[in-house]
Amino acid sequence: MDDTLLLVHTEADGSLAKIAREALGAARSLGGSLTIGLVGGDAQAAAGSLGGCGAARFLGASGEMFRQPRYATDAAAAEALCRASGAQLILAPATSRWARVLPGVALRLGGRVDTHATRVFPSEGAPAIARWYYRQRMEAVLLRPQRPWIVLLEAGCHPAWTGAPASAALENVPVDLPEGAIRTTVNGLRAPQAEEQTIRPEADLLFVAGAGWTKKQSDGATHADDAERLILEFLRRTQASLGGSKSLVDLSGEGQAVLRCMTHLNQVGQTGATPRHPKGLSTCCHGEEPHVVGWRFIGERRAVNLDPNCGWARGKADVLYIADAFEVLRRINALLGEKTQATRA
Amino acid sequence: MQMVGERLGILDQFQGVDELRVEPDGSLEILERVEGGKHQVSVCAGPPALLGWATGHLPEPRNNPQVGMANMRGILPALQRAKAAAVGGGGVRFVEVSLPRQQRETRIVKDLSPEQIAREILAWISGD
């Protein structure tokens, strides 16, 4: 098996994201020699958190200039770590930060890169990867003879490594940055124009809202405000992530009642995101493939719908509740509220 | 795009860009999509820069079945007749291609009250 380098970067608070630990879990499953390459403001602290993972070496590009994601510094750091490790296989979590730079790094190294991998495993004595094509419609397993081979591994595809921290001897790798290379300043993050944060990639539950929430209800009127209140309360209480069907997102362009908490960034499905969560609950969703592709990587799926033949549910969900989602969510929120009060008491 | 940027020697690259604003001093304020539906705000001193554009403030275009039908009639047959050309991406070996399992056994629950459904869903969410 090839020697493997796992590239990870620290988050704004200096920690490592769950996706980084998932990639570590995948890298360890390959066998062979493993090196960890860390990029960030304080790589030593992050190395300690992975100290017990059994890696042969810990390499770091550490310092203020690597604290924030920026192409010029991240590409130089990744290139330096790859060269210092001499690894033939380079794994990295598919964060926006690595996705921005690693294809360029592959060119610098004269190697190859594959993005959106969902599995990496030994095959015929060499690493193989699986990834999806045609908007998550078919899965292929592929091998490459070229080295180094950089693979970006998607979130939620492998159990995260959960070992204990231990001391790790970090080797600082010098990074060669041309003079005047830093022309970009990162000024932080901006949340979308929604009342609150509703996209939580690491949530255990994906809550998908469909257009049915904005349609006329049994009393002949629409209740989009109620729907929004119920959904936001549910999200606050469960810390679930919010997804929207394309039809619901499209409504905003038709002048119909819409959920203000829903932006097109929440959209799941063929033309939206295909998030990975252990569980998913769809409510008031309608439509067939390709929109149901948004469900593809959800582990356990349940649906609440008044239509027993809904394409999101029948054959796609494990359990379909034929019921009014307004009523069900109202009751769930009430039960969650009681549970919170009982815990406080 | 990153590889093209590298070939051109461009070290200021941004992907998933939803907004670009040119400031009076010629610098560029750029909003890139990052995790959690947020945007990273960066200021680049000025060109040259490479920007991979997302959809800006617009959602994906509305569904348009007519375009799909036109593609099926016109473009796909032409693609099927096209001769394969080497584009320099050789070496990859596809070992297996498969379609995902489409069907799940769906348990349909019709006779429970909203209260009972809420309790069942809550127990499921909590892993009880």
Side-chain angles (χ1 to χ4, degrees):
Chain A
M1 182 54 63
D2 293 356
D3 290 345
T4 302
L5 169 68
L6 173 71
L7 280 177
V8 293
H9 59 74
T10 57
E11 301 300 308
D13 62 359
S15 67
L16 293 171
K18 184 182 172 198
I19 185 176
R21 294 173 185 278
E22 291 172 357
L24 173 56
R28 277 167 48 90
S29 72
L30 287 172
S33 172
L34 173 64
T35 298
I36 309 275
L38 295 118
V39 177
D42 181 5
Q44 180 62 62
S49 72
L50 303 180
C53 74
R57 296 173 74 191
F58 288 85
L59 306 177
S62 188
E64 199 53 40
M65 78 168 84
F66 303 113
R67 192 174 295 281
Q68 291 187 309
R70 171 175 41 218
Y71 187 93
T73 44
D74 284 346
E79 181 189 1
L81 293 175
C82 292
R83 292 192 191 281
S85 73
Q88 296 97 47
L89 178 68
I90 296 147
L91 281 183
T95 59
S96 60
R97 186 169 181 175
W98 282 143
R100 184 189 297 114
V101 301
L102 290 185
V105 174
L107 189 89
R108 292 185 187 187
L109 298 172
R112 296 289 187 275
V113 62
D114 278 287
T115 57
H116 300 295
T118 52
R119 275 187 295 147
V120 56
F121 54 97
S123 172
E124 304 170 17
I129 66 162
R131 59 157 296 169
W132 292 78
Y133 286 90
Y134 186 41
R135 287 283 186 179
Q136 329 290 357
R137 298 293 185 83
M138 60 181 76
E139 186 186 34
V141 172
L142 59 100
L143 304 166
R144 284 188 186 274
Q146 296 96 346
R147 297 291 184 271
W149 185 15
I150 299 179
V151 175
L152 282 150
L153 198 59
E154 288 287 306
C157 297
H158 199 282
W161 179 78
T162 55
S167 66
L170 185 74
E171 302 171 42
N172 278 309
V173 175
V175 178
D176 185 24
L177 259 178
E179 197 175 332
I182 302 179
R183 300 170 62 247
T184 293
T185 309
V186 179
N187 289 339
L189 297 176
R190 189 176 296 172
Q193 291 178 338
E195 284 186 0
E196 56 188 282
Q197 180 63 34
T198 57
I199 301 174
R200 301 184 176 104
E202 296 186 3
D204 289 332
L205 178 72
L206 173 71
F207 180 87
V208 188
W213 283 101
T214 63
K215 303 294 184 191
K216 286 181 182 174
Q217 301 302 308
S218 52
D219 61 357
T222 60
H223 296 280
D225 287 346
D226 279 350
E228 184 157 86
R229 228 177 356 258
L230 285 169
I231 290 170
L232 287 175
E233 185 182 348
F234 177 79
L235 296 177
R236 262 194 303 271
R237 291 188 183 281
T238 59
Q239 290 299 297
S241 188
L242 176 64
S245 67
K246 178 162 174 56
S247 54
L248 179 56
V249 172
D250 280 349
L251 287 180
S252 59
E254 296 173 353
Q256 293 194 36
V258 291
L259 304 181
R260 289 182 300 271
C261 61
M262 187 77 74
T263 74
H264 65 275
L265 295 176
N266 291 92
Q267 187 188 321
V268 298
Q270 187 189 27
T271 51
T274 44
R276 289 167 171 80
H277 298 274
K279 294 177 183 175
L281 178 64
S282 91
T283 51
C284 306
C285 292
H286 299 271
E288 300 290 337
E289 294 271 5
H291 308 301
V292 187
V293 166
W295 254 160
R296 178 65 41 86
F297 302 110
I298 303 300
E300 299 173 29
R301 308 171 193 166
R302 298 197 178 193
V304 180
N305 207 310
L306 287 168
D307 176 8
N309 295 312
C310 167
W312 272 78
R314 205 156 216 177
K316 297 290 191 298
D318 304 308
V319 183
L320 165 60
Y321 300 100
I322 310 298
D324 179 347
F326 279 80
E327 284 304 315
V328 172
L329 209 58
R330 198 170 283 126
R331 286 309 308 150
I332 291 177
N333 286 340
L335 290 168
L336 284 166
E338 290 167 15
K339 202 173 170 181
T340 307
Q341 282 190 340
T343 309
R344 281 185 190 148
Chain B
M1 291 303 293
Q2 293 96 324
M3 292 177 175
V4 172
E6 283 289 327
R7 286 176 195 270
L8 296 173
I10 297 174
L11 293 180
D12 293 283
Q13 298 197 22
F14 307 86
Q15 298 295 333
V17 176
D18 271 335
E19 191 175 321
L20 165 66
R21 206 171 66 219
V22 182
E23 301 292 354
D25 64 357
S27 63
L28 311 171
E29 188 190 65
I30 296 159
L31 265 62
E32 285 174 282
R33 289 184 187 183
V34 295
E35 285 77 11
K38 294 178 183 169
H39 287 101
Q40 176 172 304
V41 185
S42 303
V43 175
C44 176
L50 182 144
L51 282 70
W53 192 254
T55 58
H57 296 296
L58 301 173
E60 292 284 335
R62 288 188 53 75
N63 291 332
N64 189 339
Q66 285 81 7
V67 170
M69 293 301 289
N71 287 345
M72 292 291 281
R73 276 196 302 270
I75 297 173
L76 283 181
L79 281 176
Q80 285 167 342
R81 285 194 297 273
K83 288 181 183 168
V87 292
V92 62
R93 183 158 68 89
F94 289 92
V95 181
E96 182 188 321
V97 177
S98 59
L99 295 173
R101 195 167 68 89
Q102 295 286 342
Q103 288 292 320
R104 288 193 180 203
E105 291 295 323
T106 304
R107 174 167 68 91
I108 299 175
V109 180
K110 289 182 177 173
D111 304 323
L112 294 185
S113 68
E115 174 78 20
Q116 290 169 310
I117 292 172
R119 288 187 184 279
E120 193 170 311
I121 289 175
L122 205 51
W124 169 65
I125 291 172
S126 314
D128 296 341

